[in-house]
Amino acid sequence: MQWRALVLGLVLLRLGLHGVLWLVFGLGPSMGFYQRFPLSFGFQRLRSPDGPASPASGPVGRPGGLSGPSWLQPPGTGAARGPRQAPRRPEPGVCGPAHWGYVLGGRGRGPDEYEKRYSGAFPPQLRAQMRDLARGMFVFGYDNYMAHAFPQDELNPIHCRGRGPDRGDPSNLNINDVLGNYSLTLVDALDTLAIMGNSSEFQKAVKLVINTVSFDKDSTVQVFEATIRVLGSLLSAHRIITDSKQPFGDMTIKDYDNELLYMAHDLAVRLLPAFENTKTGIPYPRVNLKTGVPPDSNNETCTAGAGSLLVEFGILSRLLGDSTFEWVARRAVKALWNLRSNDTGLLGNVVNIQTGHWVGKQSGLGAGLDSFYEYLLKSYILFGEKEDLEMFNAAYQSIQNYLRRGREACNEGEGDPPLYVNVNMFSGQLMNTWIDSLQAFFPGLQVLIGDVEDAICLHAFYYAIWKRYGALPERYNWQLQAPDVLFYPLRPELVESTYLLYQATKNPFYLHVGMDILQSLEKYTKVKCGYATLHHVIDKSTEDRMESFFLSETCKYLYLLFDEDNPVHKSGTRYMFTTEGHIISVDEHLRELPWKEFFSEEGGQDQESVHRLKPHELKVINSSSNCNRVPDERRYSLPLKSIYMRQIDQMVGLI
């Protein structure tokens, strides 16, 4: 028996030595302040599949020390780019090479398993099944809204009843900013019905809107929400009805006399008082649809809310031949732009509309700023005004210089993988260590400008968070590795970026992402009469609310992701989506100015002196990859099928 005890002792001694080595040489959990961050690709170097690991980065320092993760360092330290260095941009007509030559080392899963899980063969039957599931998701939510909530604004899907403005508590802005007692969900869902080819229900819904919806209401609403959800949807549906090509099937309405356009005009006129009596030209955040700006109105507004009206207001002006709406929206954009920091070129997130003083100095990609950047580019795509593109390019360079942290290339070089952080608009210094779910729109915007590789990398970060929780928490603290704000209100931003990245790369990886999202929504948010907001992404408890953007955006982008033959993809007419997901055809008509005077404070600049986008130029700016050719899907095929999914799984701690 002594020899058995001796063998057992040697085994235990060997295990003990392995344990000591495991801890001493950094193979175990970090003992420092910054533990290894699973969702940040890990604070370790990438390893070549055929070679040794790169040298370790050294010990992790305390907060503020230069040895910590590069996300916590100011631009210009370590591997981060300097504050004045121009961002990487592909040359015109050329897609730069993808840098996926290295792979994070994994444990327990070989490449064959990843090839099997994420192979290029996404069967047509499975794709059709996912398309039908996305359509069924929309139908279930829409039918229950019509059965239990219409004509109220929203559906409470748990108790199967409607929700309107909170008349008892006017300060409840979470509800009252959005709900105007104008059948919001029905209006917001109109073009989704058309895109899904449901002509009979689309025609029925349009007639209901024409016959039952009125904006002569004693409702105080947020100008931004009313514009993107209601005004944008009315204009989109009007364009669908009057499109001579009718690509989605017969969506015409018998005896239609531009009623939706007139309703859009009526709503916009009721929003115009927000632009009056402001010393800066930046609009008040809220108006009463019947009486105008409330006497006790707040003089502070967010940049996105005031500066993301140009697409809808511009379309309305050009369809009506009335410059008023585009003029006030463009004046607000210019006013905000002129308030940007002289040192960094960044804007803050909250401004006083009377003084022009920045109340909120945080600059980031999420809430308060997101759609401001989006609409600079999309206004140029629609209207062809060179000034919009110049502002966007300058804003994008400032974003790359001061918000983007980490190494230069997504998957090679020294330093941590790229991340966009929240900084002080004047100094560029880090303000906090969280990102919010609205930032997930940015990879889709990067696709539109041709920065596909960075879009792929950033999208993976948000998808990794989704994969961990089955949803995207409203805020995620990347330093603490945990959600800061735990709810998920069925937001569409990650789905939107997934859809646009699939269109750019045609890589089936994004079909797998869409399937993951679909299955999560079905598993965690489907309730008796619709789909409910997740109150807590960890315990999956729900709230009794289904916001209108679930039908207008989330379901729409999921459906389009899997519907390869949709007219959106097949039609010769190119389309663009508003920030609320409403589809707008991009054509020459929207580049024409029916008035002689163009927008300037003096009103003396005529349309001949303004650069206008020529029709042939649109092919480049509106292509999904900004390349002169269709993106080569083989270029992204292998890394995303196997290598990249190993990386993502390591990020969420699955291997």
Side-chain angles (χ1 to χ4, degrees):
M1 298 297 293
Q2 291 182 350
W3 65 270
R4 292 183 180 177
L6 180 61
V7 170
L8 180 60
L10 290 172
V11 169
L12 292 174
L13 178 61
R14 184 173 182 177
L15 289 174
L17 287 172
H18 276 292
V20 171
L21 291 172
W22 189 63
L23 291 172
V24 169
F25 290 100
L27 298 176
S30 169
M31 297 294 109
F33 183 83
Y34 300 113
Q35 295 189 6
R36 191 163 59 91
F37 181 34
L39 284 173
S40 69
F41 304 65
F43 292 149
Q44 59 183 15
R45 291 293 170 261
L46 300 182
R47 182 178 355 187
S48 168
D50 303 316
S54 301
S57 58
V60 177
R62 296 183 179 276
L66 295 182
S67 59
S70 65
W71 296 339
L72 292 169
Q73 312 307 326
T77 60
R81 70 184 70 209
R84 287 298 175 190
Q85 182 177 345
R88 289 184 299 108
R89 295 299 308 277
E91 297 178 3
V94 177
C95 285
H99 299 294
W100 302 106
Y102 298 92
V103 56
L104 279 170
R107 300 185 300 275
R109 293 186 182 182
D112 290 343
E113 182 173 348
Y114 284 89
E115 288 291 338
K116 182 178 179 181
R117 289 172 59 202
Y118 299 99
S119 70
F122 198 93
Q125 298 87 346
L126 181 59
R127 187 171 189 147
Q129 181 183 348
M130 292 300 104
R131 179 200 63 206
D132 293 344
L133 181 59
R135 181 196 286 116
M137 183 179 291
F138 171 83
V139 170
F140 186 67
Y142 177 84
D143 284 353
N144 274 287
Y145 166 78
M146 295 304 297
H148 301 291
F150 176 80
Q152 291 184 274
D153 287 308
E154 284 182 353
L155 169 67
N156 287 352
I158 297 176
H159 290 98
C160 305
R161 60 189 181 209
R163 179 200 295 263
D166 188 352
R167 303 296 191 191
D169 182 10
S171 66
N172 186 0
L173 302 180
N174 183 45
I175 298 298
N176 294 327
D177 270 359
V178 178
L179 309 188
N181 194 22
Y182 38 40
S183 303
L184 173 64
T185 297
L186 174 64
V187 175
D188 212 2
L190 290 177
D191 66 308
T192 309
L193 289 167
I195 286 174
M196 292 186 177
N198 193 341
S199 58
S200 60
E201 190 61 36
F202 174 79
Q203 292 162 347
K204 177 182 176 183
V206 168
K207 292 175 183 176
L208 265 177
V209 169
I210 292 172
N211 294 329
T212 66
V213 173
S214 168
F215 301 119
D216 189 22
K217 305 283 188 181
D218 183 19
S219 299
T220 299
V221 296
Q222 193 184 88
V223 174
F224 171 71
E225 295 290 357
T227 297
I228 65 169
R229 299 201 197 200
V230 183
L231 182 62
S233 185
L234 292 173
L235 293 171
S236 176
H238 168 74
R239 298 272 286 175
I240 290 171
I241 295 167
T242 57
D243 188 345
S244 60
K245 298 179 181 179
Q246 288 296 301
F248 303 108
D250 185 8
M251 300 293 163
T252 59
I253 307 291
K254 185 179 180 181
D255 300 324
Y256 179 72
D257 190 23
N258 299 320
E259 286 91 345
L260 296 184
L261 181 60
Y262 296 141
M263 292 180 68
H265 178 253
D266 177 46
L267 175 59
V269 168
R270 296 173 185 274
L271 299 177
L272 280 180
F275 298 88
E276 301 171 1
N277 302 318
T278 75
K279 296 179 180 179
T280 62
I282 302 171
Y284 284 92
R286 298 171 184 88
V287 296
N288 183 286
L289 295 177
K290 188 183 285 286
T291 63
V293 177
D296 58 347
S297 184
N298 190 353
N299 284 331
E300 297 174 1
T301 189
C302 70
T303 303
S308 304
L309 309 173
L310 184 52
V311 166
E312 289 83 2
F313 274 48
I315 292 171
L316 181 64
S317 274
R318 294 177 187 233
L319 291 179
L320 294 175
D322 181 351
S323 66
T324 303
F325 307 101
E326 184 170 348
W327 187 82
V328 295
R330 189 172 291 279
R331 182 180 61 169
V333 171
K334 289 182 178 180
L336 287 164
W337 184 249
N338 290 333
L339 293 174
R340 71 193 186 281
S341 168
N342 292 328
D343 295 324
T344 66
L346 297 173
L347 294 89
N349 59 344
V350 180
V351 67
N352 186 298
I353 66 171
Q354 301 296 352
T355 65
H357 173 71
W358 288 106
V359 180
K361 299 176 179 62
Q362 176 176 300
S363 192
L365 300 181
L369 276 156
D370 51 352
S371 54
F372 177 80
Y373 304 126
E374 179 186 2
Y375 268 22
L376 290 178
L377 179 62
K378 290 185 174 180
S379 295
Y380 173 65
I381 293 174
L382 274 179
F383 309 132
E385 306 297 346
K386 185 179 180 181
E387 182 181 35
D388 297 333
L389 182 61
E390 290 172 344
M391 286 189 288
F392 174 80
N393 283 336
Y396 191 71
Q397 179 165 328
S398 294
I399 288 169
Q400 296 294 86
N401 287 344
Y402 292 97
L403 272 59
R404 187 185 189 276
R405 304 293 172 88
R407 55 178 173 262
E408 176 76 13
C410 175
N411 205 37
E412 70 174 10
E414 297 298 314
D416 297 310
L419 181 72
Y420 291 83
V421 299
N422 300 317
V423 303
N424 182 290
M425 63 172 289
F426 295 109
S427 66
Q429 296 299 309
L430 188 72
M431 287 192 69
N432 51 59
T433 58
W434 51 258
I435 55 96
D436 65 56
S437 63
L438 291 173
Q439 293 180 7
F441 92 99
F442 198 68
L445 190 65
Q446 290 182 307
V447 166
L448 292 181
I449 62 172
D451 210 347
V452 178
E453 185 183 335
D454 264 14
I456 289 171
C457 188
L458 187 59
H459 171 273
F461 176 77
Y462 300 110
Y463 173 49
I465 301 174
W466 181 286
K467 202 172 181 188
R468 169 181 271 188
Y469 299 107
L472 201 58
E474 192 72 352
R475 281 187 185 177
Y476 186 87
N477 191 307
W478 46 261
Q479 181 185 23
L480 300 179
Q481 309 172 35
D484 275 351
V485 180
L486 288 154
F487 70 90
Y488 167 66
L490 309 174
R491 290 201 188 278
E493 283 75 18
L494 179 61
V495 185
E496 176 186 8
S497 289
T498 302
Y499 164 66
L500 291 172
L501 271 164
Y502 178 71
Q503 291 303 310
T505 66
K506 294 299 180 185
N507 193 282
F509 164 74
Y510 295 105
L511 300 179
H512 287 281
V513 174
M515 183 166 65
D516 279 354
I517 294 173
L518 264 172
Q519 291 171 341
S520 295
L521 291 171
E522 282 290 308
K523 181 178 181 180
Y524 300 124
T525 71
K526 189 173 185 179
V527 292
K528 182 179 179 181
C529 292
Y531 294 84
T533 291
L534 279 183
H535 175 72
H536 197 293
V537 297
I538 298 176
D539 67 24
K540 303 301 187 292
S541 56
T542 56
E543 295 180 18
D544 198 10
R545 187 177 189 186
M546 187 180 82
E547 293 215 44
S548 67
F549 52 66
F550 176 69
L551 299 183
S552 71
E553 295 185 83
T554 309
C555 292
K556 178 186 295 167
Y557 287 127
L558 283 169
Y559 179 80
L560 285 172
L561 175 64
F562 294 106
D563 189 23
E564 185 78 5
D565 297 324
N566 195 278
V568 172
H569 310 135
K570 297 295 184 181
S571 175
T573 303
R574 293 188 179 272
Y575 291 98
M576 189 195 77
F577 294 93
T578 70
T579 195
E580 184 71 8
H582 298 305
I583 195 165
I584 298 294
S585 57
V586 183
D587 54 48
E588 285 189 52
H589 183 58
L590 292 179
R591 290 182 200 86
E592 298 171 356
L593 291 177
W595 48 88
K596 293 183 179 180
E597 299 291 325
F598 191 62
F599 310 101
S600 66
E601 291 295 334
E602 297 77 23
Q605 188 177 24
D606 59 42
Q607 58 181 332
E608 284 76 23
S609 66
V610 178
H611 173 83
R612 192 79 66 247
L613 186 69
K614 298 179 177 61
H616 67 83
E617 294 178 314
L618 178 64
K619 296 178 182 178
V620 175
I621 188 62
N622 196 40
S623 67
S624 58
S625 66
N626 205 23
C627 298
N628 289 336
R629 63 183 187 278
V630 176
D632 182 1
E633 62 184 86
R634 293 173 298 176
R635 181 163 66 89
Y636 295 101
S637 181
L638 177 62
L640 292 183
K641 281 193 300 185
S642 57
I643 295 176
Y644 206 61
M645 280 314 304
R646 285 173 59 83
Q647 182 163 313
I648 290 176
D649 272 7
Q650 182 152 3
M651 288 158 61
V652 294
L654 297 180
I655 60 175

